[in-house]
């Protein structure tokens, strides 16, 4: 928790600097959070070819709207929810999000080829399951399971209650388990 | 929660953590940071007015106001059209200035809306009335 507080404090300083016109502060915020955002977007169904554009668009929207960020959650969490909306808009534009090749993440892994293939298959099913989830369930699941956030933090970012976030998560888990079986 | 379920949950979380990590690792963060800064410089900030008017709630309120104003204008036009033009001027002025023909025209215009109130006089036909009787009829209708 202290680490999260120091991250939040550092982000707050950079946000204030950006609001004061410091472009390098904006660049530093991108450096700090771009990879986590990219991981979140890729898991939510963003095609790798569009990942850079989606990350950029998310940061642009976030920097334009930063005046509305009141520190109700961490900057990164807020950024991820904006990313979710950017991806949703993009998916609407392109009719549907293209599926990322399933073995992309697996090629870099070492180990037994059979295990790798099994893991790849499970990952593929998880991706498909995630794509079928309602937007809210998918976001809550990824924020919790992938980013390791608490329900309170997720609820603050998504404008819902921790109880509702918990329910979304459990619905998502139930459906994803079904897709994995 | 039994052990199978716990294992499944742990596996699910592990898979979720791995999801997208390869693509994220391949992202050139420095290039992205510079691109964002360049785009921020190129595209000026949206003004407060622009932002306010882009909000769906404001758009709905604006649309409702336009609809109300439009409905008001249309109603007003329709009401005005239904009042005979001959009625407007004479009733506001002195009837002594009117000729017999003007009085007949005016009473004729009144015939429709007030037919139920003075059926006797109007049913009899205006042609048979002289100037004095027409004036008396108009005064009755006026009051």
């Amino acid at each position: 928790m202290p680490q999260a507080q120091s991250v939040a404090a550092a982000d707050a300083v950079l946000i204030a600097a950006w609001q004061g016109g410091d472009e390098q502060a904006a660049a530093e915020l991108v450096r700090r959070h771009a990879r986590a955002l990219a991981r979140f977007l890729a898991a939510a169904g963003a095609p790798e070819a569009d990942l850079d554009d989606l990350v950029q668009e998310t940061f642009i929207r976030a920097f334009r709207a930063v005046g509305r960020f009141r520190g109700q959650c961490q900057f990164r969490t807020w950024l991820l929810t904006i990313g979710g909306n950017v991806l949703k808009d993009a998916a609407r534009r392109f009719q549907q999000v293209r599926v990322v090749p399933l073995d992309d993440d697996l090629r870099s892994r070492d180990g037994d080829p059979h295990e790798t293939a099994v893991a790849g298959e499970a990952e593929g099913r998880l991706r498909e399951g995630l794509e079928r989830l309602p937007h809210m369930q998918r976001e809550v699941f990824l924020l919790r399971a992938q980013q390791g956030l608490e329900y309170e933090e997720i609820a603050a970012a998504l404008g819902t209650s921790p109880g509702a976030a918990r329910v979304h998560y459990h619905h998502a888990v139930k459906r994803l388990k079904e897709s994995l079986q | 929660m039994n052990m199978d379920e716990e294992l499944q949950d742990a596996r699910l979380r592990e898979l979720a953590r791995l999801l997208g990590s390869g693509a994220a690792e391949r992202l050139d963060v420095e290039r992205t940071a510079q691109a964002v800064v360049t785009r921020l410089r190129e595209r000026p900030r949206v003004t407060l007015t622009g932002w306010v008017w882009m909000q769906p709630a404001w758009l709905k309120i604006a649309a409702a106001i336009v609809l109300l104003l439009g409905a008001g204008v249309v109603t007003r036009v329709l009401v005005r059209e239904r009042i005979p033009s001959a009625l407007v001027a004479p009733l506001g002025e002195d009837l002594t200035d009117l000729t017999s023909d003007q009085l007949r025209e005016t009473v004729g215009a009144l015939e429709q809306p007030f037919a139920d109130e003075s059926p006797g006089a109007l049913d009899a036909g205006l042609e048979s009335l002289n100037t004095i009787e027409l004036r008396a009829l108009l005064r009755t209708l006026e009051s």
Side-chain angles (χ1 to χ4, degrees), chain A residues 18 23 27 30-31 34-35 38-39 42-43 48 51-52 55-57 59-60 63-64 68 104-105 109 122-123 126-127 130 141 145-146 169 173 177 180-181, chain B residues 5 8-9 11-13 15-37 39-41 43-46 51 55:
Chain A
W18 153 245
E23 288 179 347
V30 176
R31 286 184 202 107
R35 246 185 248 293
R39 203 156 64 92
E48 191 170 345
L51 200 53
D52 189 29
V55 169
Q56 285 184 32
E57 185 58 33
F59 274 107
I60 298 281
F63 288 137
R64 296 254 182 266
R68 278 182 280 157
D104 262 15
D105 292 334
R109 270 182 228 156
E123 201 171 292
L126 179 60
R127 254 186 226 285
L130 278 169
F141 174 79
Q146 189 199 47
Y169 178 77
V173 166
K177 276 182 185 173
L180 285 177
Q181 277 165 1
Chain B
E5 279 184 355
Q8 268 190 327
D9 277 1
R11 187 163 162 250
L12 196 58
R13 279 196 298 273
L15 279 171
R17 263 194 295 274
L18 289 171
L19 220 52
S21 53
E25 282 303 315
R26 287 188 285 276
L27 184 78
D28 185 343
V29 173
E30 193 49 44
R31 200 177 67 86
T32 305
Q34 293 312 318
V36 168
V37 169
R39 283 175 66 182
L40 285 169
R41 212 177 288 153
R43 280 163 39 182
R45 285 175 197 238
V46 178
W51 178 80
Q55 299 308 299

Side-chain angles (χ1 to χ4, degrees), chain A residues 111-126:
Chain A
D112 180 80
H114 176 70
E115 276 180 22
T116 306
V118 170
E121 194 186 327
E123 201 171 292
R125 284 188 192 165
L126 179 60

Side-chain angles (χ1 to χ4, degrees), chain A residues 76-97:
Chain A
R76 178 177 290 185
T77 315
W78 184 68
L79 188 70
L80 296 178
T81 60
I82 294 175
N85 290 331
V86 168
L87 181 60
K88 197 163 73 169
D89 292 349
R92 209 177 288 142
R93 272 201 307 274
F94 302 128
Q95 296 296 321
Q96 60 179 51
V97 175

